[in-house]
Amino acid sequence: GAVVSQHPSWVICKSGTSVKIECRSLDFQATTMFWYRQFPKQSLMLMATSNEGSKATYEQGVEKDKFLINHASLTLSTLTVTSAHPEDSSFYICSARGPWGETQYFGPGTRLLVL
Amino acid sequence: QKEVEQNSGPLSVPEGAIASLNCTYSDRGSQSFFWYRQYSGKSPELIMFIYSNGDKEDGRFTAQLNKASQYVSLLIRDSQPSDSATYLCAVSGNTPLVFGKGTRLSVIA
């Protein structure tokens, strides 16, 4: 149980375009979802926390107008990287937490390359 | 600011040995503690969690918690080369878990 999927797993885009990444909880209702970014050989960096039906809470230094998060249902959250630039190239990982408590289950991640 | 500290490693152990990974945390009020494994290029996966002082065993893995010392550890018995990965300690926070930076484990065949 507690499976989280992400789509796409890989995306390559041109600078200036927008990219949408989906995160789905497949076998449970996710009360809260989290978005992380990880650069090569670095630790996880929390970007934002989202609860279904409410605005996301962004971590300090994360531009909310650049990284748009929508948590429209209890099984789906999306992260849109707007006007992507090469420095946005990274590994984006979502995680989800269900009603059982604090355990977070991670999706497989999305690798973004902005040319 | 809640903090979770781990030695970055690498921790090198020979195949078949016991690997011991340690973690300390700053918030004495933390209630839940987690160990995740992250292979290179992959996302973290949950290994186990522990809530109570003492030991919790799951196969080759044993988590140990000492709330008085604010210390959590993970023991991996009969280490295998496939255990080579970065191990992340996480502690319950206000909403998201607070993660350490991870310890890189290398099991030498």
Side-chain angles (χ1 to χ4, degrees):
Chain A
V3 179
V4 178
S5 71
Q6 271 185 253
H7 179 79
S9 54
W10 262 102
V11 58
I12 301 173
C13 69
K14 293 181 179 180
S15 185
T17 60
S18 293
V19 175
K20 181 186 283 189
I21 301 169
E22 291 187 349
C23 176
R24 292 182 186 273
S25 56
L26 298 185
D27 54 0
F28 66 100
Q29 292 188 324
T31 52
T32 308
M33 288 185 170
F34 308 91
W35 287 96
Y36 294 84
R37 181 166 57 177
Q38 188 173 39
F39 293 107
K41 298 192 186 303
Q42 294 191 21
S43 55
L44 288 174
M45 188 191 82
L46 178 67
M47 299 176 68
T49 299
S50 75
N51 294 289
E52 184 262 341
S54 61
K55 289 184 178 181
T57 301
Y58 290 82
E59 295 299 300
Q60 194 170 10
V62 177
E63 300 173 59
K64 60 182 180 182
D65 294 330
K66 180 169 183 63
F67 298 100
L68 301 179
I69 292 171
N70 184 282
H71 193 159
S73 77
L74 283 172
T75 59
L76 173 64
S77 176
T78 60
L79 167 68
T80 301
V81 183
T82 62
S83 186
H85 290 285
E87 58 265 30
D88 298 323
S89 299
S90 189
F91 190 37
Y92 292 87
I93 314 171
C94 74
S95 72
R97 188 176 71 189
W100 50 73
E102 297 180 272
T103 307
Q104 289 178 216
Y105 292 92
F106 285 85
T110 296
R111 238 169 248 295
L112 170 64
L113 177 61
V114 185
L115 301 176
Chain B
Q1 182 81 1
K2 297 181 173 66
E3 292 184 349
V4 177
E5 298 288 338
Q6 295 182 257
N7 189 316
S8 62
L11 172 66
S12 295
V13 299
E15 184 176 358
I18 296 175
S20 177
L21 304 158
N22 305 314
C23 169
T24 59
Y25 58 95
S26 64
D27 182 13
R28 188 170 287 278
S30 297
Q31 295 293 318
S32 310
F33 308 86
F34 304 83
W35 283 100
Y36 289 83
R37 175 175 62 197
Q38 186 174 23
Y39 290 113
S40 181
K42 303 294 186 183
S43 67
E45 58 178 320
L46 179 69
I47 297 174
M48 61 191 305
F49 53 83
I50 186 167
Y51 301 140
S52 305
N53 274 329
D55 295 0
K56 179 181 179 182
E57 188 174 315
D58 184 359
R60 295 186 297 114
F61 299 97
T62 299
Q64 299 176 317
L65 174 61
N66 184 326
K67 289 186 179 180
S69 300
Q70 295 175 240
Y71 178 91
V72 192
S73 65
L74 179 70
L75 301 179
I76 307 175
R77 289 182 299 281
D78 188 25
S79 296
Q80 301 297 310
S82 58
D83 294 325
S84 298
T86 296
Y87 289 80
L88 305 172
C89 172
V91 174
S92 60
N94 288 330
T95 302
L97 296 177
V98 180
F99 283 86
K101 294 185 184 300
T103 298
R104 190 156 57 92
L105 172 67
S106 179
V107 181
I108 316 269

